[in-house]
Amino acid sequence: MTKITIAKGDGIGPEIMNAVLDVLEAAGAAIETEEIEIGEKVYLAGNSSGIAPEAWDIIRRNKIFLKAPITTPQGGGYKSLNVSTRKFLGLYANVRPCMSLYPYIHTKHPIMDLVIVRENEEDLYAGIEHQQTDEVVQCLKLISRPGCEKIVRYAFEFAKQQNRKKVSCFTKDNIMKQSDGLFHEVFNEIAKEYPEIENEHWIIDIGAAMLADSPEKFDVMVMPNLYGDVLSDIAAQIAGSVGLCGSANIGETCAMFEAIHGSAPMIAGQQVANPSGLLQAAVMMLNHIGQTKVAENIQNAWLKTIEDGLHTTDIYKEGFSKQKLSTNGFAQAVISNLGQVPKALKPVTFDNNAALNLPAYKRKTNAQKTLVGIDVFVHWSGTEANELAAKINSFLPAELSLTMITNRGIKVWPEGFKETFCTDHWRCRIKAKEEHTISKAQIVELLAKADAAQIDTIKTENLYEFNGKAAFSLGQGQ
Ligand code: NAD
């Protein structure tokens, strides 16, 4: 008997969770549930994280968490509990299988059987955002080497375990050469360790278009957090419905299982939601905790129900479906099919679905890091970059030089274009002239001088070389 934490969540959460728990019980899953309250009610009761501290204790003690979707109230002040759970518990791999079940579920893509492995802890989901000037806000995109190594290795190990043939990586490293560049670089490094598995890289825009057009081209797909979020909804929807796909959020000690969709408040309480996404998540959970036979039994009964044309509203289509069922009606149909296997769709066997046991990340030796300059970001309401350059040059010590000013990344000085639209957010790149390196003391002095000259510095970024290689982007147009 495995004790698991469950949360019924918001919107359609309670009805799909009850339906799934009915199926788990009927299939004889050896689980004992401990329920916690999370989501909208907890947020609105004044807890900005959407969860009480005692609930964390339960999640951490049980380690396995089956979670229904929750509603994150719109607007400032509320942090997404989904993101917090993934990050607090180190659930670095978000695994989202997506398969078409044609001709039983209507889709334009009859051949589709892919798994999106989405990085789950970093990228723009660090949620570090600031308004810096009247006109500009910033969201920090953080990509780490451990984050990349862990997720890429997971994708290849998963492909190996599941006997899948190809891993495709998706980034935008033609633009984000440092951050997405690191993800791609790590992908290339780790791919070499798996010569038996084909590998390829797609720029995310054309890659997403290709997924929407020809999903049969893909097998295992690995990508940073935001791209994975977007692409997995696309994949689920083109397979038939976002209501169909489940996900596993896997960490070294804990794991959380949920549908990929949200709380769908518009259809809540009407018994029309499809419980399949959460049921698929529960099947992944059973495999994860070693209850393979129960997982197989449920999955085959589910496939048979789909094949029999017993469908919820979201996948019901004249000519494809036989009967439109409610949320509970669908769960009861799955229950009555337990012990049976689909006739036309391929029955599943889950011999290779145990939890993966990956090596822990090993920290590398530190590189030789040299500080060679600083980007000083300035809030300035002027329009002529020449004026700002002159202002900065008026107090810059002889050993430092202003090499460039950009506005939203595009070079506007020296030799900017008068057509370039400028906001009140300017980046001034200052570098050491002769010595090549600059000290922290010089930076402090520089900032004091800027302050005395009434320059409103809003932030700085140090410019480093790692092992002699510049580790910062050029200005666009530089
Ligand atoms: P959503 O996924 O809830 O709904 C999008 C569309 O898909 C709607 O038309 C909905 O009716 C339909 N849909 C979703 N699940 C379905 C199901 N099981 N059966 C049938 N149709 C289904 O996305 P949204 O409307 O953008 O978000 C609603 C709320 O959910 C927001 O508060 C959002 O923050 C939250 N959300 C939570 C999670 C989570 O808890 N993991 C994930 C995504 C969104």
Side-chain angles (χ1 to χ4, degrees):
M1 187 71 73
T2 304
K3 196 162 181 185
I4 64 162
T5 308
I6 60 159
K8 294 191 175 174
D10 300 314
I12 57 172
E15 53 203 290
I16 59 172
M17 180 61 89
N18 289 334
V20 166
L21 291 176
D22 285 348
V23 176
L24 291 176
E25 192 186 347
I31 54 169
E32 184 190 332
T33 59
E34 189 168 11
E35 187 173 347
I36 57 165
E37 179 87 64
I38 55 167
E40 205 169 17
K41 266 193 248 133
V42 185
Y43 281 117
L44 299 179
N47 194 327
S48 64
S49 61
I51 182 170
E54 311 80 74
W56 277 127
D57 296 341
I58 295 171
I59 293 174
R60 293 170 78 190
R61 191 172 61 237
N62 293 333
K63 297 190 171 49
I64 303 295
F65 183 18
L66 181 64
K67 181 187 143 297
I70 56 165
T71 302
T72 309
Q74 298 270 306
Y78 301 107
K79 290 302 268 187
S80 162
L81 175 59
N82 297 316
V83 177
S84 306
T85 308
R86 292 165 187 162
K87 290 166 64 158
F88 266 139
L89 301 179
L91 310 180
Y92 65 93
N94 191 330
V95 185
R96 300 182 153 195
C98 200
M99 183 178 191
S100 63
L101 298 171
Y102 189 83
Y104 306 100
I105 292 180
H106 178 65
T107 168
K108 296 181 186 123
H109 304 285
I111 306 163
M112 173 175 177
D113 177 10
L114 55 85
V115 181
I116 293 180
V117 178
R118 165 187 171 190
E119 196 290 318
N120 219 17
E121 293 178 290
E122 47 191 47
D123 189 5
L124 289 159
Y125 288 68
I128 306 175
E129 294 189 298
H130 299 95
Q131 178 166 1
Q132 297 181 322
T133 67
D134 287 308
E135 294 174 349
V136 174
V137 289
Q138 174 190 267
C139 176
L140 218 52
K141 169 160 169 146
L142 294 176
I143 301 278
S144 72
R145 178 165 269 277
C148 297
E149 284 194 12
K150 278 161 50 181
I151 196 66
V152 172
R153 188 168 296 288
Y154 190 95
F156 277 98
E157 283 293 323
F158 179 85
K160 191 167 140 186
Q161 182 200 48
Q162 306 277 315
N163 202 18
R164 286 180 172 265
K165 305 292 174 237
K166 182 167 76 171
V167 180
S168 311
C169 172
F170 293 71
T171 73
K172 186 79 183 171
D173 67 340
N174 53 332
I175 303 296
M176 286 163 278
K177 295 177 201 285
Q178 297 284 323
S179 51
D180 282 23
L182 176 61
F183 197 96
H184 190 176
E185 181 184 314
V186 168
F187 177 79
N188 288 344
E189 282 169 20
I190 291 183
K192 287 200 188 90
E193 296 177 33
Y194 299 86
E196 72 284 12
I197 299 172
E198 197 188 327
N199 70 80
E200 63 179 14
H201 174 265
W202 289 85
I203 300 285
I204 184 70
D205 38 5
I206 186 62
M210 203 51 82
L211 168 69
D213 186 64
S214 315
E216 68 279 3
K217 281 191 183 353
F218 298 107
D219 194 344
V220 174
M221 302 160 74
V222 65
M223 63 200 81
N225 207 338
L226 178 62
Y227 309 144
D229 194 0
V230 177
L231 261 57
S232 51
D233 268 23
I234 294 175
Q237 190 63 32
I238 65 172
S241 166
V242 286
L244 284 173
C245 292
S247 75
N249 298 263
I250 306 289
E252 276 163 26
T253 49
C254 297
M256 171 171 80
F257 300 85
E258 57 181 345
I260 70 155
H261 60 75
S263 57
M266 300 288 278
I267 56 167
Q270 298 166 28
Q271 278 289 316
V272 294
N274 189 343
S276 296
L278 190 59
L279 188 65
Q280 292 301 291
V283 166
M284 284 193 257
M285 176 188 79
L286 290 169
N287 275 320
H288 186 83
I289 60 178
Q291 296 190 30
T292 312
K293 290 294 156 208
V294 188
E296 267 173 19
N297 190 6
I298 294 176
Q299 188 70 357
N300 284 324
W302 177 74
L303 288 170
K304 173 138 196 338
T305 308
I306 299 278
E307 185 185 271
D308 288 346
L310 308 178
H311 293 167
T312 44
T313 311
D314 57 321
I315 52 172
Y316 183 87
K317 197 163 171 70
E318 290 292 342
F320 285 83
S321 311
K322 291 216 174 71
Q323 200 183 340
K324 194 185 282 182
L325 295 180
S326 66
T327 308
N328 279 341
F330 183 81
Q332 289 311 315
V334 174
I335 289 170
S336 58
N337 280 332
L338 285 168
Q340 301 191 54
V341 293
K343 292 200 176 66
L345 291 168
K346 194 167 169 247
V348 294
T349 45
F350 287 140
D351 296 335
N352 311 318
N353 285 54
L356 288 172
N357 197 0
L358 266 61
Y361 176 76
K362 280 205 203 76
R363 184 157 274 168
K364 314 281 179 295
T365 46
N366 289 346
Q368 172 78 37
K369 183 171 122 180
T370 316
L371 185 59
V372 296
I374 183 162
D375 278 348
V376 179
F377 290 77
V378 170
H379 181 177
W380 184 61
S381 307
T383 51
E384 292 299 321
N386 280 338
E387 280 176 32
L388 181 59
K391 236 170 140 132
I392 291 172
N393 275 325
S394 71
F395 62 80
L396 213 54
E399 65 276 15
L400 300 180
S401 72
L402 176 67
T403 60
M404 152 183 100
I405 299 179
T406 67
N407 195 294
R408 289 182 302 171
I410 183 81
K411 179 171 74 85
V412 292
W413 183 93
E415 293 159 12
F417 285 14
K418 70 175 178 0
E419 292 86 350
T420 305
F421 180 83
C422 289
T423 66
D424 59 359
H425 187 274
W426 307 79
R427 172 181 58 164
C428 308
R429 177 158 290 178
I430 292 164
K431 291 173 97 175
K433 270 186 198 160
E434 310 274 315
E435 293 296 320
H436 189 55
T437 63
I438 178 171
S439 69
K440 296 264 172 70
Q442 280 175 295
I443 291 175
V444 172
E445 224 172 277
L446 174 73
L447 294 177
K449 284 187 174 147
D451 194 42
Q454 295 185 327
I455 292 199
D456 182 6
T457 55
I458 46 172
K459 77 160 199 165
T460 60
E461 288 289 347
N462 291 349
L463 303 175
Y464 287 111
E465 285 178 0
F466 282 82
N467 289 342
K469 197 171 149 220
F472 44 89
S473 55
L474 296 175
Q476 281 152 8
Q478 195 185 13

